[in-house]
Amino acid sequence: MAAQEETTQRAVFVDTSNEPRTDEEAVSMCTQGLERATAPRDIADLQFRLANAQVRRGFPELAVAAFRACVAADPRRLDAFNNLGLLLLRRYDYGAAATEFRHGLAVSESAELLLNLGVAVEHAGDVEEAQRCYERVITIAPKDARPHANLGALAAKRGALDEAIACHRKAVELNPDDPWLSFNLGDALEDAGDDESAIRAYEASIQLPCAKNNLAGLLEKSGDYDRAEALYAECCAQSPDDYDFAVNRACCARSRGVDAEALFADAAKLCERPYACAFNLAELAAARGDIQTALARAKEAVAYADEEEIDDARELLRALLEAWRDSL
């Protein structure tokens, strides 16, 4: 039996004195490097680093230009095609994003590029191609939970709730530590009317404010107002600018018979058209006999209402006007 050589690892000091400390320094160093670089691969690498620095600095247009320069210098840079496509997705330019993802896929098939292409074409309205992309991702990356979650969302959109639940369950099975996957499962279960299972899924994703909000709604529905109120309060503390969370908390308080006017008034500050707040404040003012305030709030509700809300708002205003005339 041959003797095995003993290997040792020696710590190597890497001099990082020339590494950029800030994104501004990175931009400067990359720009200076580009003035000297001649090899296409070096140019591509510097443009890629420059683009990422511009993203971090909050200059997406400059980042797009740098990513384009990167792939012009090296048309095989899948990472640049992917990052460029993601930037365009953030700008809601779904067609242009899809084009960049396809350019990358023409070089080499990648689960990440396929997944992102699916997202781009789905947002552009081509759900059939999106489905094909997600299914292909599952074939080449069977342990990736994300395409299962995306297929679940597509199934839910077309009303196939059993299929949606199955897809989301598979996603959770593949990555049980991702709270968003459990939240998606809970959402699908709630849509299907399985509140008990939905509660368990929301409990598994309880660190997310949206999971707390949905769980609170189901607990409120079952009569557990104390925990529902506590969860709504946590939602609002985690996401103080979220109008829906604030309104739900106020509605829960009102259902419990607690004075909720201050909560509705605070929630109204978070939205340009706070219909629900105006409507509830009108009803609360009427209940305490303040018809003038109730009328003012009801008029606001009419002004804020959308097509689905306008009939209720007008009916409330009409009833309050009758009550005001009767009081004269």
Side-chain angles (χ1 to χ4, degrees), residues 71-105:
V71 296
D74 183 357
R76 299 188 64 80
R77 286 294 296 258
L78 299 186
D79 50 359
F81 282 121
N82 189 62
N83 287 10
L84 176 55
L86 290 173
L87 273 178
L88 295 168
L89 266 182
R90 292 180 190 175
R91 295 195 323 200
Y92 309 106
D93 193 346
Y94 304 123
T99 296
E100 300 305 332
F101 295 135
R102 290 192 179 100
H103 284 160
L105 288 165

Side-chain angles (χ1 to χ4, degrees), residues 229 232-233 236 240 242-270 274 276-278 280-281 284:
E229 166 57 27
Y232 283 134
C236 293
D242 192 294
Y243 173 70
D244 290 334
F245 294 168
V247 170
N248 289 343
R249 182 186 184 186
C251 288
C252 180
R254 185 182 177 189
S255 297
R256 299 178 66 193
V258 177
D259 184 4
E261 290 198 49
L263 291 174
F264 280 118
D266 288 341
K269 299 172 186 176
L270 303 176
C277 294
N280 277 276
L281 286 169
L284 289 169

Side-chain angles (χ1 to χ4, degrees), residues 2-8:
Q4 293 183 339
E5 292 184 358
E6 182 179 356
T7 61
T8 59

